[in-house]
Amino acid sequence: MTKTLVIAEKPSVAQDIVRALTPVAGKFDKHDDHFENEHYVVTSAVGHLVEIQAPEEFDVKRGKWSFAHLPVIPPHFDLKPVDKTKTRLNAVVKQAKRKDVTALINACDAGREGELIFRLIEQYAGGAKPLGKPVQRLWLQSMTPQAIREGFEKLRSNEQMAGLADAARSRSEADWLVGINGTRAMTAFNSQGGGFFLTTVGRVQTPTLSLVVEREEKIRKFVSRDYWEIHASFAAQAGSYPAKWFDPQWKKNSDDAELRADRVWAAHEAQAIADAARGQPASVTEESRPTTQAPGQLFDLTSLQREANGKFGFSAKTTLALAQSLYERHKALTYPRTDSRALPEDYVPVARQTFEMLATSGMAHLAPHARTALEGGYVRPSKRIFDNAKVSDHFAIIPTLQAPSGLSEAEQKLYDLVVRRFMAVFFPSAEYLVTTRISKVEQAGKAHHFKTEGKVLVKPGWLAIYGKEAAAEVPDAKEGDKGQNLVPVQPGEKPLASQVDPKALKTKPPARYSEATLLGAMESAGKQVEDESMREAMQEKGLGTPATRAATIEGLLAEKYMLREGREIIPTAKAFQLMTLLRGLGVKELSRADLTGEWEYKLAQMEKGQLSRATFMAEIAAMTERMVRQAKEYDRDTIPGDYAQLSAPCPNCGGVVKENYRRYACVGKPGAEGCGFSFGKSPAGRTFEPQEAEQLLATRKIGPLEGFRSKAGWPFTSEIVLKYDDEAHNYKLEFDFGDDKKAEESGELVEFADESLGPCPVCGAPVHEHGSNYVCSKAVPTAAQPTPSCTFKTGKVILQQPVERAQMAKLLETGKTDLLDKFVSMRTRRAFKAHLAWDKEAGKVNFEFAPSKFPPRKTPAAAAKTGAASARPVSAAAKKAAKPAAAKKAAAKTPKAATAKAPRKPAAGKAPSPQLAAVIGAEPVARPEAVKKIWAYIKAHNLQDPKDKRTIVADDKLRAVFGKDQAGMFELAGILGQHLG
């Protein structure tokens, strides 16, 4: 009997498919890597199992990155397995090649990326010739059993998916061409002066970075201007009411966006208006009109990420992970990686069933509103909600018919956000009565007008779902002249201007991007679009897709092009340097977000069959060639840009020090030439912020700073000093490792004289002071362990904040320090408060911000229910690491002698486990000796990964010891400790 192979994207989805098919297709037998019955074989990938690569003759290794090898535009792409998942790939390919498997079903996620994952596996399985088995597509919007069964009844043909498959491959190949060539060309350009200065660029990430840099440039160039508002209080018979002066003749000036009808630009003029109006009676005119406010549209992924970032401070990555969990694991939400905000027109009955589920679900805070909607007949056809023209491959994110249980706090918050929005779109609009009152004061033949606006909530409509039942809770209530209930003024009454005062204010620069506003800018490729319908039209020309935007932002943060400070996203000096380079070379496609947005639009056209793959790839190849040519043929000494002049003088001659593209250099005193003093802007691959360069010049010392990389690619921390060189008769920049240098460079053994501060959070060994750091005793060479096996190290001074011994001891015991208040940001020069906390996931000490620093916005009614938001955690893993029990457990593993001041005695030999004995022999052995023996075995059998020598690829014997296919070199000591009795 022939069978059909179903390939899902993840194991959990494969299990869901099996559970859904069992009632209709029969019981499945479970095997190691697949499920099988009479009709189907069900297996899964684990994300991408195969990636594209250039053919061998086109591949250029890292050490040979030069213009001579560029551009790399291969005629076709080969495939290579993803190293970490080779075993899974082989298992899937084995099933695909079975003779009794005569057809395939692509059950990967319903989107461009899911299509690519399957297509590359299918191509790899075929080898030199196509696999030749017919393919159908399972397209799931929901993961409930019923939805899966319906999906199998409506499988799509391979021809229907051809456009999506072309777009998926084109996106992947375009990213490779631009990323590889761009990164190599910019790295080659930046490394011309020597060294290796890795400069990464990407088809989507670099234009996204340009948005952040352009915003920061506007902020830096912004010149604040003084202006005045005139605020008044009028006394009527029924009470007083506030008002603000305005000019009724004012007209908007497009040349100066700061001008407003209620702003005065001279102090004396504002004071004159206030003095003239004070104590005078006013004639009052009023106009009242009803107005409505419609609810927001249903969520797509980007709008959900923006809302969750604004309300809860969730990063885009976190929101996507939570939504994916609610879709995949809990079956509570529909497919989240969508760019649609509408539902299919035949979905009205499903929406009604969803309300019925919510009404009877037991969710007390949601059920009453669901019952109100059902009793009021709110669920009915509406083009605003149900519109086939606005539904692409996916529809909006809504709750499924399955009520969830066992949600985490964060999952519950996101689920509630989606459910409330889903219900709100069916509810009536909120109704207000808006009253505009003009109080006119006439004095000495001149009229002064003051405006007051009152807004009264008449019918809450959809706002009731959010607990907004009263006028005091209207969304746009503002102090002064808007949102308040107005006391009545009788006909003919002339209230007195009892108080009139000018208020001095300053214009403000544009706000920095938060993750929410950056996602919005990516969605519209940087075009400032306020109108929601216009923003929808721009979505097709956005940067990336809803599914990839979070990863793009995280990639820029990981590459240190941007950093998060609270909820603000700030570009680093490295980002400014890259944008200066791209602009100077004329690579507009990567330095202008709107141009790159066109590519995403073309990919969307390809999905619909309106653009050929060949045409798109020819454009990408031409752009790649032009980008490399611009860098290769650039023949000037420096790149033009907006460079800084430092205020600190040259240490050698007292002249002026100016920035250029590559260096900070002395240009001499007025009328004289420079003395030759200069230092590179990016020593060891870390770019100085202008403030850091300023401090280095002023004090001739800065640090310790993190983020440097050695020639071998290892990260390190160091102080930077300017030292006088007798031979050159000038100052030069040097790294200063302090007391650490002795051990780290010479290999000299370290003896600790201080008492241990506590157990290392990585391996449990004692932590001591050493030079300018706190280090694990196993992170430096000691008599007991000449070869370091741990990585724990953290500075005694972090961003100008001294970290006392008592605070480090507290961090090691509880997971975090007290709230420290002397940190100073190198980028903004602003002081900030934070805890230092152990981040197990990142493997280092990180910041954890106090709850009060960036409180989430919340509705008045919700405030009482949810309480104050907790601090933005370092990570979920860091919370676990902070538990005292974990620290006590680590301390229990620490030998008592390890905390004594006297030199440690050699550790006694311990019997190895049978698994370890098979590698190093059965003789009792101390852990340092066991490490040496296992290293001898690793080197003898050539088990180090050739691409990353720090990774050991296990053979059968080591797999029994490691419990997995590979291990990092720094894990060895910990693993062996578990095998020594």
Side-chain angles (χ1 to χ4, degrees):
M1 180 181 285
T2 60
K3 299 185 180 185
T4 298
L5 174 65
V6 181
I7 301 177
E9 190 165 320
K10 303 178 189 71
S12 60
V13 178
Q15 291 172 349
D16 290 336
I17 289 171
V18 167
R19 278 194 286 266
L21 289 182
T22 297
V24 295
K27 187 173 182 290
F28 282 80
D29 294 323
K30 187 178 187 303
H31 300 266
D32 286 344
D33 47 35
H34 69 281
F35 301 86
E36 188 168 352
N37 69 5
E38 291 183 0
H39 307 284
Y40 294 104
V41 178
V42 181
T43 188
S44 76
V46 280
H48 280 278
L49 302 184
V50 184
E51 57 190 1
I52 63 171
Q53 68 172 3
E56 185 65 32
E57 63 269 25
F58 287 88
D59 194 24
V60 180
K61 305 302 180 191
R62 170 177 167 157
K64 297 180 181 177
W65 287 14
S66 71
F67 288 122
H69 302 281
L70 297 176
V72 183
I73 303 179
H76 67 277
F77 284 90
D78 288 343
L79 302 180
K80 68 171 180 178
V82 175
D83 290 336
K84 292 180 181 177
T85 53
K86 281 182 182 177
T87 306
R88 171 62 70 170
L89 175 62
N90 292 337
V92 175
V93 169
K94 179 182 175 183
Q95 301 305 319
K97 287 185 171 181
R98 280 172 47 170
K99 289 185 178 178
D100 60 338
V101 168
T102 57
L104 305 179
I105 291 178
N106 174 5
C108 293
D109 282 2
R112 193 191 289 167
E113 214 58 29
E115 195 68 25
L116 183 65
I117 288 169
F118 174 85
R119 297 280 175 164
L120 294 184
I121 293 171
E122 181 199 18
Q123 181 183 339
Y124 183 85
K129 58 181 182 179
L131 194 59
K133 298 182 180 182
V135 173
Q136 290 179 292
R137 184 64 153 108
L138 177 66
W139 197 260
L140 297 179
Q141 304 281 14
S142 168
M143 288 300 294
T144 62
Q146 183 58 35
I148 292 171
R149 287 192 286 269
E150 288 175 1
F152 270 89
E153 292 170 5
K154 301 175 182 176
L155 292 171
R156 300 185 180 186
S157 69
N158 203 37
E159 292 71 27
Q160 285 176 283
M161 308 312 299
L164 184 65
D166 281 349
R169 284 186 183 271
S170 298
R171 194 279 308 157
S172 176
E173 292 175 11
D175 284 352
W176 191 98
L177 287 170
V178 175
I180 292 292
N181 285 283
T183 295
R184 289 176 180 178
M186 301 311 146
T187 299
F189 187 92
N190 280 336
S191 302
Q192 285 173 333
F196 181 77
F197 182 15
L198 179 62
T199 309
T200 57
V201 300
R203 183 183 64 89
V204 175
Q205 76 164 33
T206 306
T208 299
L209 180 64
S210 76
L211 295 174
V212 182
V213 170
E214 285 168 11
R215 175 65 59 86
E216 192 70 18
E217 286 172 336
K218 287 179 182 177
I219 293 170
R220 291 183 181 184
K221 291 176 181 176
F222 184 82
V223 178
S224 184
R225 296 155 63 188
D226 295 326
Y227 71 93
W228 286 261
E229 292 178 351
I230 300 100
H231 291 248
S233 178
F234 287 88
Q237 293 173 15
S240 62
Y241 61 90
K244 190 198 292 185
W245 176 90
F246 77 106
D247 178 4
Q249 306 301 319
W250 179 84
K251 290 183 179 178
K252 190 171 183 178
N253 184 345
S254 58
D255 295 333
D256 190 345
E258 299 291 353
L259 298 181
R260 303 275 196 284
D262 57 5
R263 290 182 178 180
V264 175
W265 296 92
H268 69 274
E269 187 181 338
Q271 191 64 53
I273 294 171
D275 292 342
R278 192 180 299 112
Q280 299 299 316
S283 57
V284 176
T285 57
E286 253 182 25
E287 181 186 347
S288 294
R289 56 186 173 82
T291 185
T292 60
Q293 183 182 358
Q297 290 180 282
L298 293 169
F299 285 125
D300 63 1
L301 179 58
T302 301
S303 58
L304 178 62
Q305 286 170 321
R306 294 177 66 184
E307 188 84 1
N309 182 254
K311 273 191 162 57
F312 311 127
F314 292 167
S315 70
K317 178 183 177 183
T318 297
T319 299
L320 176 56
L322 291 171
Q324 194 71 21
S325 174
L326 287 164
Y327 160 69
E328 198 173 285
R329 182 175 161 217
H330 297 287
K331 318 292 184 291
L333 293 184
T334 55
Y335 185 74
R337 296 167 184 256
T338 174
D339 60 358
S340 175
R341 304 188 71 175
L343 297 174
E345 289 168 14
D346 60 0
Y347 232 67
V348 178
V350 178
R352 194 171 289 114
Q353 289 174 318
T354 308
F355 269 92
E356 289 167 358
M357 179 276 292
L358 293 169
T360 58
S361 66
M363 290 182 275
H365 59 302
L366 301 174
H369 303 301
R371 287 194 289 272
T372 299
L374 291 169
E375 291 163 6
Y378 294 168
V379 186
R380 51 182 179 265
S382 161
K383 271 290 183 184
R384 188 169 185 269
I385 305 167
F386 304 98
D387 189 348
N388 288 344
K390 293 180 180 178
V391 175
S392 53
D393 294 326
H394 309 288
F395 51 74
I397 304 170
I398 63 169
T400 65
L401 297 174
Q402 191 161 313
S405 61
L407 301 185
S408 68
E409 182 184 353
E411 287 171 336
Q412 186 67 53
K413 282 182 175 180
L414 199 73
Y415 181 72
D416 281 1
L417 201 64
V418 174
V419 172
R420 289 180 196 271
R421 177 62 67 89
F422 169 73
M423 292 196 294
V425 298
F426 291 96
F427 268 60
S429 295
E431 295 180 16
Y432 297 95
L433 183 65
V434 177
T435 302
T436 302
R437 177 179 295 171
I438 307 297
S439 304
K440 183 170 74 171
V441 175
E442 295 194 64
Q443 210 270 336
K446 192 168 184 181
H448 301 289
H449 299 78
F450 293 82
K451 182 189 288 185
T452 310
E453 284 195 347
K455 193 170 186 179
V456 179
L457 184 61
V458 180
K459 290 183 181 177
W462 64 272
L463 287 175
I465 294 171
Y466 295 89
K468 292 175 180 174
E469 306 271 2
E473 296 170 348
V474 297
D476 56 357
K478 294 178 185 176
E479 188 180 345
D481 71 332
K482 204 169 191 179
Q484 61 276 317
N485 283 303
L486 293 184
V487 298
V489 174
Q490 301 303 321
E493 183 183 350
K494 294 209 165 188
L496 282 180
S498 56
Q499 284 184 303
V500 188
D501 297 295
K503 186 176 182 180
L505 298 164
K506 288 181 178 290
T507 57
K508 294 179 181 178
R512 285 194 175 97
Y513 281 114
S514 65
E515 214 155 323
T517 55
L518 181 56
L519 285 166
M522 292 174 73
E523 190 176 41
S524 58
K527 301 239 173 133
Q528 299 303 311
V529 183
E530 297 300 326
D531 182 73
E532 199 165 73
S533 60
M534 281 293 292
R535 193 184 296 121
E536 272 185 36
M538 278 299 303
Q539 278 183 358
E540 286 191 339
K541 297 190 179 184
L543 292 175
T545 65
T548 61
R549 285 172 191 143
T552 298
I553 293 172
E554 292 297 326
L556 288 166
L557 291 163
E559 288 290 340
K560 304 294 187 232
Y561 280 121
M562 309 187 311
L563 54 93
R564 285 191 187 99
E565 239 177 53
R567 291 196 186 177
E568 290 184 334
I569 289 180
I570 302 173
T572 62
K574 181 181 178 183
F576 280 94
Q577 192 172 15
L578 174 60
M579 297 318 299
T580 297
L581 175 59
L582 294 174
R583 291 166 184 169
L585 297 178
V587 184
K588 293 180 180 178
E589 290 88 346
L590 293 182
S591 56
R592 280 184 54 191
D594 56 335
L595 290 179
T596 308
E598 295 287 336
W599 292 344
E600 206 63 53
Y601 175 65
K602 288 173 181 176
L603 286 169
Q605 284 184 308
M606 198 184 303
E607 288 181 16
K608 299 168 187 171
Q610 296 167 357
L611 179 72
S612 76
R613 173 164 146 72
T615 301
F616 177 80
M617 291 310 301
E619 287 183 22
I620 292 291
M623 179 260 164
T624 302
E625 289 175 334
R626 185 170 64 255
M627 174 175 57
V628 171
R629 185 170 63 250
Q630 295 287 87
K632 187 187 290 190
E633 296 176 358
Y634 192 84
D635 58 359
R636 280 170 277 174
D637 292 337
T638 186
I639 298 286
D642 184 12
Y643 295 117
Q645 176 175 312
L646 303 186
S647 59
C650 168
N652 193 50
C653 72
V656 175
V657 176
K658 285 188 175 181
E659 176 190 13
N660 59 42
Y661 179 69
R662 299 185 193 280
R663 307 182 71 79
Y664 288 98
C666 173
V667 296
K669 294 179 180 179
E673 291 187 1
C675 67
F677 167 76
S678 72
F679 61 92
K681 286 167 65 174
S682 304
R686 183 198 186 279
T687 304
F688 282 121
E689 299 292 333
Q691 299 91 336
E692 292 174 334
E694 194 81 65
Q695 184 181 339
L696 177 61
L697 267 191
T699 64
R700 301 187 191 176
K701 183 177 182 179
I702 189 173
L705 302 176
E706 297 179 341
F708 299 107
R709 285 193 174 270
S710 69
K711 289 180 181 178
W714 287 77
F716 68 89
T717 300
S718 177
E719 291 187 346
I720 299 285
V721 295
L722 291 176
K723 282 190 177 177
Y724 191 76
D725 185 333
D726 292 325
E727 290 185 14
H729 303 295
N730 212 326
Y731 283 83
K732 68 176 184 179
L733 183 148
E734 288 186 1
F735 292 103
D736 185 354
F737 297 94
D739 296 339
D740 302 344
K741 184 175 182 180
K742 188 193 301 180
E744 293 181 6
E745 293 200 344
S746 69
E748 186 174 328
L749 300 181
V750 175
E751 287 187 26
F752 298 112
D754 66 313
E755 187 176 343
S756 168
L757 289 138
C760 169
V762 177
C763 70
V767 172
H768 293 272
E769 282 190 62
H770 178 54
S772 57
N773 292 296
Y774 296 109
V775 300
C776 172
S777 55
K778 292 185 177 179
V780 294
T782 61
Q785 183 176 298
T787 304
S789 62
C790 186
T791 57
F792 179 78
K793 179 198 291 187
T794 184
K796 288 159 71 173
V797 178
I798 298 175
L799 293 182
Q800 301 184 31
Q801 167 72 59
V803 183
E804 305 294 343
R805 280 181 61 90
Q807 291 298 331
M808 181 49 54
K810 184 164 187 175
L811 184 148
L812 296 174
E813 181 185 355
T814 68
K816 70 178 179 181
T817 66
D818 294 334
L819 187 67
L820 306 179
D821 60 0
K822 293 183 175 62
F823 296 106
V824 177
S825 166
M826 279 294 184
R827 280 85 190 173
T828 63
R829 310 307 299 162
R830 292 186 298 196
F832 65 93
K833 299 177 184 179
H835 300 275
L836 292 176
W838 173 245
D839 185 344
K840 186 177 179 182
E841 198 173 89
K844 65 180 181 178
V845 172
N846 258 335
F847 295 114
E848 182 175 307
F849 292 99
S852 59
K853 185 166 177 63
F854 295 100
R857 297 194 298 272
K858 52 185 182 289
T859 64
K865 295 179 183 178
T866 61
S870 60
R872 179 171 63 85
V874 175
S875 69
K879 282 186 179 178
K880 294 179 184 176
K883 292 181 181 177
K888 287 177 183 175
K889 187 176 179 182
K893 294 180 182 178
T894 308
K896 290 182 181 178
T899 61
K901 293 182 181 179
R904 271 180 273 166
K905 296 177 183 178
K910 295 181 180 179
S913 68
Q915 295 92 337
L916 183 57
V919 181
I920 67 171
E923 292 294 319
V925 63
R927 184 157 29 172
E929 189 61 28
V931 172
K932 289 180 183 177
K933 287 188 174 185
I934 206 159
W935 266 113
Y937 179 87
I938 289 165
K939 289 178 179 177
H941 292 79
N942 196 26
L943 297 178
Q944 285 176 278
D945 189 326
K947 293 183 179 177
D948 181 2
K949 297 289 187 181
R950 291 169 288 178
T951 300
I952 296 96
V953 181
D955 60 7
D956 290 339
K957 288 184 178 180
L958 283 186
R959 195 173 292 110
V961 175
F962 295 169
K964 52 187 178 181
D965 291 336
Q966 60 185 36
M969 62 186 291
F970 297 122
E971 294 181 77
L972 286 182
I975 292 172
L976 296 190
Q978 300 168 17
H979 287 272
L980 292 172

